[in-house]
Amino acid sequence: MTDNIITSAIIIGAGIFGVSTGVQLARRGIRVTILNDGPPAGGASGRSLSWLNSSRIRSEPYHRLRMAGIDRYRTLSARFPDADWLRFDGGLTWDADDSSNGIDAAYRHEVSLGYDAKRLAPGEVAAVTPGLDARAITPQGAIFNPGEGWVDLPILINLLIEEFAKLGGTLVTDEGAARVVVEGGRAVGTETAAGNRFLGDAVLLATGSAVPKMVEQAGETIDDATPVALLVRTKPLAHPLRAVLNTPRVAVRPAPGGTFSLDADWAADEGVKMHEDGCRDIDAAVVDALLAEASKVMEGNPKLEIASIGVGGKPIPGDGEPVLGALKAIPGYYVAFSHSGATVGLIVGELLAYEIATGAEHPMLATFRPERFASP
């Protein structure tokens, strides 16, 4: 526990980590300002598949964090039982029909953790979850996880911002990019591109894929494995699919209003060309191929039409594990940088607010500290 009393905090980034933390701090009576260089959810949170899960194989601490994250969404769902932006209709996954197929190992691992999992042959899927074309499922079968779900992050973020404002929080979106100001060896606030300073007792950097480069300016290191991601949103379609699908060639997630969100690593790799000035070219043929892959796994093979396309960095730390908490070399400076921001978004905000407000370290974040990347 620190002797410092935190009365104010500045957060750079109005994605799920920044806004979730801001609300939690405001609930504790701390004066909070959130800075963003555009509208809320304009970065990675706005183009996230937002599949709520802890499936497959990962470290035990990361699994526990994700399960706590899902728990918080369950609590939220109980408050909004009729929400069309937060659903728990399960997740279905299968692998390619080749030597890389890991369905058996994944299923055994999930069962060992008590993670709710059902191993299904292709012909059994229709009786468990609707909307699939069973012909697309490989002979090794699929795993259905009934406890998984999805969230529409922009809707959630706007809901949290409403509470944030009622609690006296301030959201600033018209000052351009912001940087952390370090004086006397500690973080004292931020300065925006417009030249204005916002001072606080603590600063949280929650700028998605920009976090590693921004902390580098302060002489700190966070290993970065951020790839380019592409998310396609479809026009509304009457279709029975309710589960999130994670398949060899495409991920498909239901979304509000009868729409669907689609992504695939290969589509981003093959379909997005980055330029030095930050501009991006999107290959329409690759997007059409992604739509075709989604149609193949959906019952009736419907015609899918594009409503919008989101392109940008998908925040992934170099070792795949979240980076959360204080930069110990710079008092008052905190970071949030992680993959699966949707799944852990609410719990990360809760735990970071605890650490910022109290000065104590939460044990659930012990293995996720930024200093693990420091040179020996």
Side-chain angles (χ1 to χ4, degrees):
M1 183 77 67
T2 180
D3 293 331
N4 295 331
I5 298 175
I6 301 297
T7 62
S8 61
I10 312 297
I11 297 172
I12 307 179
I16 187 58
F17 287 155
V19 172
S20 175
T21 307
V23 168
Q24 291 284 346
L25 287 169
R27 288 174 181 172
R28 290 173 172 267
I30 293 173
R31 188 172 70 255
V32 184
T33 300
I34 299 176
L35 306 175
N36 207 56
D37 60 359
S45 291
R47 54 179 182 271
S48 167
L49 188 68
S50 304
W51 169 31
L52 306 178
N53 78 95
S54 190
S55 66
R56 310 298 288 222
I57 301 171
R58 56 182 49 82
S59 73
E60 183 181 350
Y62 195 11
H63 173 69
R64 285 191 284 108
L65 184 69
R66 291 168 76 108
M67 293 303 293
I70 293 171
D71 172 77
R72 299 310 190 267
Y73 280 106
R74 289 285 185 185
T75 302
L76 186 65
S77 182
R79 287 177 51 200
F80 300 95
D82 299 321
D84 67 349
W85 48 268
L86 175 60
R87 303 294 304 170
F88 283 96
D89 295 315
L92 187 78
T93 183
W94 67 88
D95 290 354
D97 183 17
D98 58 31
S99 60
S100 69
N101 191 292
I103 284 294
D104 184 62
Y107 174 69
R108 286 187 283 109
H109 178 73
E110 291 176 10
V111 169
S112 76
L113 297 173
Y115 191 69
D116 197 357
K118 301 181 186 302
R119 180 79 180 272
L120 303 173
E124 298 174 318
V125 171
V128 176
T129 184
L132 276 293
D133 187 331
R135 296 173 299 177
I137 302 173
T138 49
Q140 295 87 343
I143 299 172
F144 181 63
N145 301 111
E148 295 179 355
W150 59 269
V151 63
D152 186 281
L153 280 182
I155 293 176
L156 171 59
I157 287 169
N158 285 328
L159 184 71
L160 293 174
I161 286 173
E162 289 179 9
E163 180 184 354
F164 178 69
K166 290 178 181 177
L167 291 169
T170 301
L171 173 66
V172 179
T173 61
D174 55 359
E175 296 266 339
R179 68 177 184 88
V180 179
V181 176
V182 178
E183 293 179 351
R186 69 170 292 117
V188 297
T190 61
E191 185 174 42
T192 66
N196 294 316
R197 282 196 168 197
F198 296 82
L199 302 180
D201 300 319
V203 179
L204 170 64
L205 186 60
T207 52
S209 58
V211 167
K213 288 185 178 179
M214 292 181 73
V215 300
E216 188 177 4
Q217 296 171 1
E220 298 298 304
T221 299
I222 294 175
D223 289 354
D224 186 16
T226 295
V228 174
L230 179 149
L231 186 82
V232 174
R233 299 176 184 85
T234 75
K235 293 180 179 179
L237 173 73
H239 195 275
L241 179 65
R242 296 293 177 265
V244 181
L245 306 184
N246 187 16
T247 84
R249 292 285 294 172
V250 65
V252 182
R253 190 239 318 154
T259 63
F260 291 89
S261 293
L262 321 173
D263 80 359
D265 291 343
W266 64 266
D269 294 341
E270 299 175 16
V272 180
K273 182 178 180 181
M274 304 291 296
H275 297 280
E276 291 184 2
D277 62 1
C279 293
R280 307 174 178 96
D281 291 331
I282 301 173
D283 189 332
V286 172
V287 174
D288 287 344
L290 181 64
L291 292 171
E293 293 291 350
S295 177
K296 288 178 186 177
V297 303
M298 297 172 68
E299 180 182 293
N301 307 130
K303 178 177 174 54
L304 301 173
E305 298 180 277
I306 301 168
S308 65
I309 300 174
V311 176
K314 178 190 293 186
I316 300 181
D319 60 4
E321 297 275 299
V323 185
L324 305 167
L327 293 177
K328 292 187 177 178
I330 308 174
Y333 196 146
Y334 295 79
V335 298
F337 176 55
S338 181
H339 185 36
S340 300
T343 299
V344 300
L346 295 180
I347 188 63
V348 162
E350 181 181 323
L351 300 184
L352 284 177
Y354 167 85
E355 295 202 341
I356 293 168
T358 68
E361 292 189 347
H362 196 285
M364 284 193 74
L365 302 185
T367 66
F368 305 133
R369 302 294 173 193
E371 63 265 20
R372 70 182 188 269
F373 297 109
S375 301

